[in-house]
Amino acid sequence: MRCPECQSDQTKVIDSRQVEQGVAIRRRRICENCQHRYTTYERIETKALVVIKKDGRRENFEPSKIYNGIFQSAEKRPVTPEQIKELVKQVETTLRNTSSGEVTSDKVGDHVLEALSELDPIAYFRFASVYKRFNELSEVEELLRQFRKKGEDSEAE
């Protein structure tokens, strides 16, 4: 690792710690040439996750898009930004573990809805109304019936 001040490659690690719940390592370094101290981070390089849109286009997976959609759905609800970040991480991890690098936008939306149903029912319905593009009130009623049935099934267990 080169020193950002003098570009010397004579550096030494003086401290290492796990950060981001063990996903990264923070290293404090010192340049043996100029004594400049700086921090580096080491993370596992993950393969790109590509989302196949409904029209066939392919886009890189962007967690911020999910975060923004959920944030709008959860507006004025008792849902914290930290809970949304955790939900987005959970969805991304699930997608990375269950896909071969490509995933449909429908699958992304389904995973978000599943996670949202456990977090906040109103945010779930707000997100679903945009994601599923309801055209008829009967479609909303059907989603509500399915949601209630899922709740009854989980209570019976």
Side-chain angles (χ1 to χ4, degrees), residues 67-76 84 126:
Y67 179 88
N68 292 336
I70 295 171
F71 188 81
Q72 288 177 341
S73 299
E75 186 178 7
K76 297 184 181 179
I84 298 171
R126 288 177 179 171

Side-chain angles (χ1 to χ4, degrees), residues 2 48 52 54 66 81 120 122 157:
R2 291 192 182 273
I52 304 168
K54 290 179 180 163
I66 296 174
D120 186 85
I122 302 301
E157 293 175 2

Side-chain angles (χ1 to χ4, degrees), residues 1 4 25-29 36-41:
M1 182 67 59
I25 297 175
R26 175 184 172 267
R27 299 196 193 278
R28 287 292 297 155
R29 297 179 179 266
H36 177 69
R37 291 176 181 242
Y38 59 101
T39 302
T40 60
Y41 292 89

